[in-house]
Amino acid sequence: MRSNRRGMALLAALISVLACAPADEPPPDQAMSAVAHTAGAPGIGDPDFPTDGNGGYDVSHYALAVDYAPTTKRLEGVTTIQAAATQNLSRFNLDLSGLDVRGITVDGSPATFARKGDELTVTPSAPIDKKARFTVKVTYAGVPKPAKDSANLGTYGFISTADGAFVTSEPNGSKTWFPNNDHPSDKATFDFAITVPAGVTAVANGELTGQPTTAGGKTTYRWSERHPMATYLATATLGKFDLRQGKTPGGIPNFAATDPKFRSSLDKLYTVSGEVTDYWGTVFGPYPFSSTGGVVDDYAAGYALENQTKPVYGGFEPDESIIAHELAHQWFGDSLTIKRWKDLWLNEGFATYAEWLWSEHKGKQSAEAFFNDYHKRPASDPMWAYPPGRAKPGDLFNQSVYTRGGMTLHALRKAVGDQTFFQLLKAWTAGHRYGHVTTDEFIALAERMSGKDLGPLFDAWLYQPRRPA
Ligand code: TRP
Ligand code: ZN
């Protein structure tokens, strides 16, 4: 044994001498740090959207300065990003679609950059050490072009309108108007300074930080969202708007805006949004943000998006059901955010179930009746072939993710009983407030709180390409 050990030690010494041969010696500056500085990945690691987001850093704050001229459709922007490196970085990427980059600094020093598709690669003048905080400032301009047809969605991102813009960016359209880390797994706080021609209103997330200021025929609106937000929820919806501001009966600041064409919807939007926000606070747990409200613009999208604190409704008068849906997303999607797009039912299934709960609350059709109506659909209905627990990148917003996702929650409610089910909803929102979630975490919590093996139920409802019994 002894001699064997000595033989091993000699061999190890020999190997290490060979490994340290002069040709392999690192240059002196790299030798100082344990790991060499390398390029951050061009994607954040979502296998379904491999180039969405970026690796190597984590954003904590975006400060957006945007000047938009509705007549020329030209946007001039300065985006200041505060981030921390999660590896030793020689360079890193941002996501940006179209637009001309004028200059980039990192910690105040000019950086070089290159563009390929929607990837903007930034090489700082000095490498960035792991865990170091750094500030990136990107100056850019151009006519934003919305994204089209990704994931079966039509047009999304920064969409110009006659009097301004309609900005709805799910799943990856925020890169159409500012450079960022465009994936929900990196949330950050936001400040906005939006300059528009006097007479145009700019509505962004969070709250106004003061009165708008006007100079030289232009008005600047300053908004601040102090809670972490996914990039797809950032908005700067611009146009002529009538406003109603105040508080919900429960005391939450409430901001409603309607395009003049939808002036008759303003009071209903304001009142119902307030009532729904307060009610969801009793069902899902305390409202996570500092204000609520909504915007109706005259862009005929035919859909709505749950922009944080400011859902926008595109070209229609929203009814109670869709307001209930978009405001439920403030808990499910906005406060609790998915790490991967495949888990989208955690957003859409919950918000759809919220529509049924709202109807039940109002003494109209019960959630059970909604469930039964859908369950009656024939085995050949496409909803049964699409397992909602694994949203497909090419068909992310399939109806199954909404309806069968909602049915999953009702099946769960029946299995665990109302008391456990509603305790579970509150525990879920409390446990992951402002954070990230996965389906496995939800199933684990449901099993822990009910004491039941729910594996077969979730498997049948979320993962099988057939109608559950
Ligand atoms: N999340 C939206 C909803 O169901 C739907 C949606 C997805 C959307 N992508 C969008 C809306 C892009 C507007 C723009 O509430
Ligand atoms: Zn939704």
Side-chain angles (χ1 to χ4, degrees), residues 242-261:
D242 293 304
L243 307 180
R244 185 167 168 195
Q245 289 170 259
K247 286 190 171 181
T248 71
I252 297 167
N254 187 5
F255 182 101
T258 53
D259 183 279
K261 195 174 154 193

Side-chain angles (χ1 to χ4, degrees), residues 325 347-357 399 401-403 405-406:
H325 179 115
N347 295 3
E348 300 305 346
F350 280 63
T352 301
Y353 197 61
E355 295 174 35
W356 306 348
L357 289 176
Q399 202 52 44
V401 175
Y402 288 71
T403 305

Side-chain angles (χ1 to χ4, degrees), residues 151 153 155-157 159 166-171 232-233 301 303-307 312 322 325-326 329 344 347-348 351-352 355 397 402:
L153 275 168
T155 303
Y156 62 100
I159 302 167
F166 180 82
V167 184
T168 52
S169 299
E170 193 182 20
Y232 76 87
L233 299 169
Y303 52 59
L305 184 66
E306 63 267 24
N307 290 332
V312 304
I322 195 161
H325 179 115
E326 304 309 331
H329 273 308
L344 186 63
N347 295 3
E348 300 305 346
T352 301
E355 295 174 35
F397 296 91
Y402 288 71

Side-chain angles (χ1 to χ4, degrees), residues 65-69 74-78 102 140-142:
V66 162
D67 184 317
Y68 187 71
R74 199 180 149 74
L75 181 152
E76 294 189 8
V78 179
R102 293 294 160 78
Y140 64 100

